[in-house]
Every structure is written in structure tokens, then in C-alpha cells.
Amino acid sequence: MASMLMLILVLFGATLAWFSDAQPTPVSGLSYTFYKSTCPKLESIIRNQLKKDFNTNISLAAGLLRLHFHDCFVQGCDASVLLDGSASGPGEQEAPPNLTLQQAAFKAINDLRALIDAQCGKVVSCADVVAIAARDSVALSGGPDYKVPLGRRDSLNFATQNATNANLPPPTSNVSFLITTLANLGLDTTDLVTLSGGHTIGRAHCQSFTNRLYPTQDTNMDKTFANNLKLTCPANDTANTTVNDIRTPNTFDNKYYVDLMNRQGLFTSDQGLYSDSRTKSLILTFAVNQTAFFEQFALSMVKMGQLSVLTGSQGEIRTNCSARNSGSGLWSVLEPLVETASTF
């Protein structure tokens, strides 16, 4: 035990240099003061409304955070996940990884846009609303409060089903697959471990982890934890849900990493991070130092939130977050290009 504690302290000391209070530099086209003149009360409008929403539905916080992840991982942070399907094909929401996105989260974004439009006019993109709502979901749940670069534009098209499936790694993924998938997006191993900490809030469907229970129990899962999960998920095809973090399920903190150290991670993609030498040291650091986790989470979220953003004259500011503006005239041109690109 003493040697393990010493190892953790050494690792913690070695990683302190990774974290900084410095604000990340926004990518070209984004800024921290983008709506200073056109919608100066934007962030207070969103935060005040979400405070009310979370008082009646705390699970919405995890839903909004997940919505931001699923948007950014597929063709960038462009609100494409909000688009309904069209005659040309199903939207991203209909792809298997997105079927469990909270409908309440989509409604919350539309409600926020209505409040914003009433005070500022139609000047704020849906993509920016999603990014701010994700940040507020973290902060209002007890996590870090950080500044979000703004100025994103909304996409004119949604991604194909193939592209959506390819860029959202399933919960059964191993660490090597996760590292490769995130590297393709421009995110590194530190981002992987850090962003996975978002699982400290929210719920999961049984079918996303029953591969670890049936037909035989994963030996890398604590037995008591597994037996309790079987009570909630008595069969492979159970439709029930359970919390991601058994310690503090509604609080954004570092207990997710403590869960992993106790072999109480829910998904294969979670628990594998503690078993793999490439990611274990950071798990140990975050498990003993919440401040280190919070600082890096803020940095990784800002980094992820700037993936392949549309800015300037690109895309549009949608009047309705679930549909492109009438008269855009680019849908039939862009969708074949996306389909072609997804085959490489």
C-alpha cells in the first residue's frame, strides 16, 4: 500500500507541469468575446435557464454534455447532430450510437434558442448554444467553470450513417481503438482519459455493458459490482438503465477515476483505461487530485469544442436548429460529397 501511494504521489508530481491556468488560444474565427456587442447577455441567459431546468431534471446535464460530444466527434462542432433527416437519407440522430441521446437535451437547445432570439435576434448559432450548454452542465453539476470560444456556424448538412458510426467509438472499444479514433480527430491520449471523465455523471443502458456480464462475467470487474448490475440488467437485452458513477452519480467530480481503480468502471472502454499502461498513470493522478482533473478537463473540452468548426461565411446560423434555413440551396450538392468522403 505504501509503495502504491508513493507511486501515485510521484506520478502526481510529474504531471503537475501538464496543467496550466492559461486560457487556450481560439482557432481562427472564434473568440471569447464574439457576442460582446450582438448578444452581451448570451451566457447568462443560458445559465439562468439551465439552473431552472436542472432543478427539475438533473439528468439533463449529462444529456447536454453528451450531445456536445456526439456533435463534435462527427464532422466537427457544427450542430449537425441537431438536424432532422431528409428525403436524401436519415440524420445523425438515427445512427445507432445516437439513438440513446436524450430527447430532453434536443428540446432544451431549442428552448434556449427561443429565449436567446427573443432578446438578441437570430444572431447566435445552434452550435454555440450546444457548446455553452455543455460547459454549464459541467459547472452547475459541480465541475470546472471555463470560458468557451464562440463564433461557430451551423452546418448545412448532416453526416452519413457510415461517418457517424465510424467516429463514435462504441462502449465495447479497447484502448488501442480509442486512441486511434481520437487521434484521427486531433485528440491525444491525455484528451482521451480526461474526456472519458465526463462519465462521472449520467446514466447508461444495460445493453452498452452487458457484454461484460453475459454469458460470463468480465474478470476485470469487481464481483460485488457485477452482481449488483445483474439485478438491474438480468439479461443481455434488458432495456433498463443504471448510473455511470456509483459513488456520486449526479455530481461532476473525480470519482469516475476512483471507480476505475476499484474495478467498478461500467464500460469496456472505461475500465480498459486503468488496465492499459498508456493511460493508467493519468487515471491515478486524477483519482487523487480533482483539481488536476478539472484543469485538464477544461483544456480538453475547449480543444474538442473547436474541432473542424465552421466560421465566418461558412455554413449558416439556423433559424430552426433541427433544419437548414430555406433557400440555402446546398443540400443536394453537399450530401454526395460527404458520402464520398466517408468511404476513404
Side-chain angles (χ1 to χ4, degrees):
M1 180 63 71
S3 60
M4 175 59 77
L5 178 59
M6 181 60 69
L7 173 61
I8 292 174
L9 291 174
V10 169
L11 290 170
F12 167 58
T15 54
L16 276 179
W18 300 357
F19 309 108
S20 171
D21 292 331
Q23 203 69 21
T25 301
V27 299
S28 178
L30 301 188
S31 78
Y32 291 108
T33 58
F34 190 83
Y35 296 106
K36 184 176 181 179
S37 60
T38 56
C39 193
K41 295 184 179 180
L42 169 63
E43 298 202 37
S44 62
I45 293 170
I46 293 176
R47 180 158 297 197
N48 290 338
Q49 182 59 42
L50 289 182
K51 284 180 181 178
K52 298 175 185 177
D53 291 343
F54 295 162
N55 282 336
T56 58
N57 180 14
I58 189 59
S59 68
L60 178 60
L64 288 168
L65 179 58
R66 188 168 180 239
L67 188 65
H68 186 40
F69 275 90
H70 283 232
D71 180 36
C72 291
F73 273 42
V74 180
Q75 120 178 346
C77 308
D78 60 359
S80 61
V81 71
L82 303 181
L83 287 169
D84 291 334
S86 70
S88 63
E92 293 174 29
Q93 295 175 39
E94 297 169 72
N98 287 333
L99 293 177
T100 55
L101 289 174
Q102 285 188 31
Q103 290 305 305
F106 291 104
K107 181 180 183 302
I109 296 300
N110 287 330
D111 290 345
L112 289 170
R113 265 298 300 272
L115 290 173
I116 295 164
D117 290 354
Q119 293 199 36
C120 302
K122 300 183 185 302
V123 297
V124 180
S125 69
C126 301
D128 276 345
V129 176
V130 171
I132 297 171
R135 186 275 312 280
D136 285 356
S137 296
V138 171
L140 293 174
S141 298
D145 204 350
Y146 54 92
K147 294 182 179 179
V148 178
L150 300 171
R152 298 166 188 77
R153 304 269 289 181
D154 300 323
S155 65
L156 297 168
N157 62 290
F158 48 73
T160 64
Q161 298 284 285
N162 286 342
T164 304
N165 292 333
N167 287 288
L168 292 173
T172 54
S173 302
N174 60 38
V175 174
S176 292
F177 182 79
L178 292 172
I179 290 175
T180 299
T181 300
L182 267 68
N184 290 337
L185 296 172
L187 301 172
D188 59 28
T189 303
T190 297
D191 298 318
L192 166 62
V193 175
T194 305
L195 295 173
S196 294
H199 286 164
T200 190
I201 56 174
R203 302 185 67 85
H205 288 75
C206 289
Q207 292 181 0
S208 62
F209 59 83
T210 47
N211 65 298
R212 303 185 66 204
L213 300 175
Y214 308 108
T216 58
Q217 182 185 314
D218 186 343
T219 57
N220 202 25
M221 179 182 281
D222 175 76
K223 289 184 178 180
T224 300
F225 179 61
N227 290 335
N228 289 335
L229 287 177
K230 288 178 181 178
L231 297 176
T232 302
C233 310
N236 235 347
D237 56 353
T238 308
N240 295 336
T241 64
T242 189
V243 296
N244 286 337
D245 171 11
I246 63 172
R247 286 175 168 77
T248 52
N250 295 321
T251 301
F252 195 100
D253 55 23
N254 67 335
K255 296 301 186 291
Y256 163 83
Y257 299 102
V258 177
D259 293 340
L260 299 189
M261 291 180 65
N262 287 278
R263 297 190 299 132
Q264 294 166 335
L266 205 53
F267 306 138
T268 301
S269 57
D270 288 325
Q271 194 59 54
L273 296 174
Y274 185 64
S275 307
D276 196 291
S277 60
R278 293 169 291 181
T279 50
K280 184 174 183 177
S281 63
L282 198 52
I283 297 290
L284 293 172
T285 297
F286 289 162
V288 298
N289 189 340
Q290 182 167 274
T291 299
F293 166 50
F294 280 7
E295 290 180 355
Q296 184 58 46
F297 189 81
L299 294 175
S300 291
M301 281 294 287
V302 171
K303 181 178 179 181
M304 183 197 74
Q306 300 186 92
L307 293 177
S308 300
V309 291
L310 303 175
T311 61
S313 61
Q314 299 172 315
E316 64 185 6
I317 295 176
R318 289 189 215 128
T319 299
N320 175 355
C321 286
S322 63
R324 70 186 180 102
N325 296 339
S326 60
S328 295
L330 295 176
W331 198 285
S332 61
V333 175
L334 286 173
E335 283 211 325
L337 293 177
V338 174
E339 182 68 52
T340 301
S342 69
T343 61
F344 285 100

